[in-house]
Amino acid sequence: MALKSTPVLFGLLTRLSRRTFSTSKALASKPVTVRDALNQALDEEMARDETVFLLGEEVAQYDGAYKVSRGLWKKYGDKRVIDTPITEAGFAGIAVGAAFAGLRPVCEFMTFNFSMQAIDHVINSAAKTFYMSAGAVPVPVVFRGPNGAAAGVAAQHSQCFGAWYSHCPGLKVLMPYSSEDAKGLLKAAIRDPDPVVFLEDEILYGVPFAMSDEALADDFVLPIGKAKVERAGQHVTLVCAGKATDTALQAANQLAGEGIECEVINLRSLRPLDFDTIAQSVAKTHHLVTVEQGWPQSGIGAEICARVMESPAFFELDAPAWRVSGADVPMPYARSLETLALPRPPDVAAAVRAVLANRGECFMHTPCLGEGTVVMWDSLPEWEHTH
């Protein structure tokens, strides 16, 4: 159909330009994978500061299990890129001790599931020493590696540790989404005087994101504790981090076709948490949905909802805040069940529609009830309220 009306044509082009075209510097910039952005950050910080070194399983001669440390051993040698035995408790303890002595170790866990072997060093040694020494002993160590669900690796290799580590005072906990996040936040983590847990995502390693000239520069550093509004909107606030940001953005694109504009906040930092950005967005949209891949109980979404309840932001809400999370089960190995155990864009979209309709429902994302099931809370038998 021909569009003969100039105002109609202008309006259509305006909407298309707003949703399809970018006016940022990233438009003419270079696409960089998250893996390469992390590699750039490590390389630049090791060149900048001789006290920075990397240790972990297969980080040196094999270039890292996920090739994040590719080329660093050849460039910096055995003393600064160190292959360790398969003993997380051992090399995490070495990293913390090196930080006590004034070095800046970057300790790579092949997966954060294995950090459970070393959690005594992460929590009792790294997180608490600065406080217990009355500020006399800083601990500038970074614990980094892939976190959360991968694909086909079942229950013992698929946990998200965002809520685990952000519960602990003394740690800073970062969860990057894009290549810009990965580079800028890792550089900030390495320079920080406190222990930092840096939660990457295996699924995102090979994903390219556009990076501006500013982000590609050697001196690019992002502030710790500051969220990023990935997409502006006026109807509902979606708060997320890491891979869940991609899920939220896909849902936001889908909902935009229905006239629902979501504001998507990429937290970047779980501790410290940028609550001011969340509160400002809620004051604009009056609706809140949190999205995470981790389990629901005591999760990041639960913390955000609690802070909203305890602040003036609560009075800005026109409907209860909802959480969309991973299912409250160990990660299944079967591919079909694995898909059901993680939030997907249709699940987020369904939650947003229900929140905007202010329906008295419970959004339950569990394999036993079926994918993205929306169930009337009062219609459930009493036992299902707690199971």
Side-chain angles (χ1 to χ4, degrees):
M1 180 182 69
L3 293 175
K4 299 180 179 179
S5 170
T6 301
V8 172
L9 180 59
F10 179 78
L12 177 61
L13 291 175
T14 301
R15 289 193 297 274
L16 284 173
S17 65
R18 184 170 65 247
R19 294 179 183 173
T20 309
F21 304 109
S22 172
T23 58
S24 69
K25 294 180 181 179
L27 184 63
S29 62
K30 177 184 177 183
V32 178
T33 65
V34 172
R35 175 187 293 109
D36 289 341
L38 292 167
N39 181 269
Q40 287 178 23
L42 289 167
D43 187 14
E44 290 168 8
E45 291 306 298
M46 292 179 75
R48 174 182 175 271
D49 185 347
E50 292 185 352
T51 67
V52 177
F53 72 98
L54 174 67
L55 77 165
E57 296 156 353
E58 300 183 345
V59 299
Q61 297 186 45
Y62 189 66
D63 282 339
Y66 300 98
K67 307 307 176 189
V68 170
S69 56
R70 183 174 50 232
L72 298 182
W73 174 66
K74 291 180 180 178
K75 183 173 182 179
Y76 295 102
D78 290 327
K79 289 187 177 181
R80 298 188 64 196
V81 184
I82 304 169
D83 277 331
T84 67
I86 304 174
T87 169
E88 284 76 14
F91 65 76
I94 291 171
V96 174
F100 287 170
L103 300 179
R104 291 185 174 272
V106 178
C107 176
E108 177 180 308
F109 294 120
M110 192 176 290
T111 163
F112 258 93
N113 297 273
F114 301 157
S115 75
M116 293 292 94
Q117 301 290 329
I119 197 167
D120 180 59
H121 289 301
V122 177
I123 302 300
N124 283 325
S125 299
K128 299 176 183 176
T129 295
F130 185 72
Y131 172 81
M132 295 177 69
S133 67
V137 183
V139 192
V141 59
V142 177
F143 301 100
R144 56 154 294 269
N147 166 74
V153 291
Q156 294 177 326
H157 297 74
S158 301
Q159 294 170 225
C160 176
F161 289 92
W164 291 60
Y165 286 117
S166 65
H167 178 69
C168 182
L171 292 177
K172 294 176 181 176
V173 183
L174 308 180
M175 186 180 285
Y177 160 57
S178 65
S179 300
E180 178 182 296
D181 291 357
K183 180 180 178 179
L185 291 174
L186 183 55
K187 289 168 72 72
I190 293 171
R191 298 183 188 189
D192 199 89
D194 298 316
V196 179
V197 171
F198 197 85
L199 302 172
E200 301 157 12
D201 191 290
E202 178 184 338
I203 301 298
L204 292 175
Y205 278 147
V207 177
F209 291 86
M211 291 182 69
S212 65
D213 292 339
E214 177 187 5
L216 290 169
D218 290 354
D219 59 354
F220 177 72
V221 180
L222 288 172
I224 292 175
K226 182 62 180 174
K228 178 186 179 183
V229 178
E230 295 282 354
R231 180 188 179 113
Q234 69 268 22
H235 296 131
V236 62
T237 299
L238 303 181
V239 183
C240 44
K243 182 66 169 63
T245 305
D246 180 64
T247 305
L249 286 170
Q250 289 187 52
N253 288 335
Q254 175 185 338
L255 290 164
E258 304 172 21
I260 300 172
E261 293 294 340
C262 304
E263 182 142 293
V264 179
I265 297 177
N266 169 17
L267 288 174
R268 287 179 166 172
S269 174
L270 303 182
R271 186 183 184 110
L273 184 70
D274 183 6
F275 183 72
D276 287 344
T277 295
I278 298 171
Q280 290 168 13
S281 179
V282 168
K284 178 173 67 171
T285 67
H286 308 291
H287 298 89
L288 173 64
V289 174
T290 65
V291 187
E292 62 187 310
Q293 289 198 324
W295 294 314
Q297 180 162 322
S298 307
I300 300 301
E303 173 66 17
I304 292 169
C305 291
R307 292 202 190 187
V308 169
M309 287 285 292
E310 296 164 354
S311 75
F314 171 73
F315 300 101
E316 299 288 349
L317 290 174
D318 289 342
W322 277 26
R323 296 177 292 152
V324 180
S325 71
D328 196 19
V329 295
M331 180 62 71
Y333 176 68
R335 181 177 298 178
S336 58
L337 295 179
E338 180 184 67
T339 300
L340 294 176
L342 294 169
R344 298 196 300 172
D347 305 321
V348 179
V352 167
R353 294 187 196 102
V355 166
L356 292 178
N358 197 10
R359 299 198 299 264
E361 301 172 350
C362 173
F363 187 76
M364 306 186 69
H365 182 83
T366 63
C368 62
L369 289 176
E371 172 192 354
T373 303
V374 179
V375 182
M376 293 299 296
W377 186 259
D378 291 338
S379 70
L380 291 176
E382 183 177 352
W383 70 271
E384 285 192 285
H385 290 186
T386 55
H387 285 72

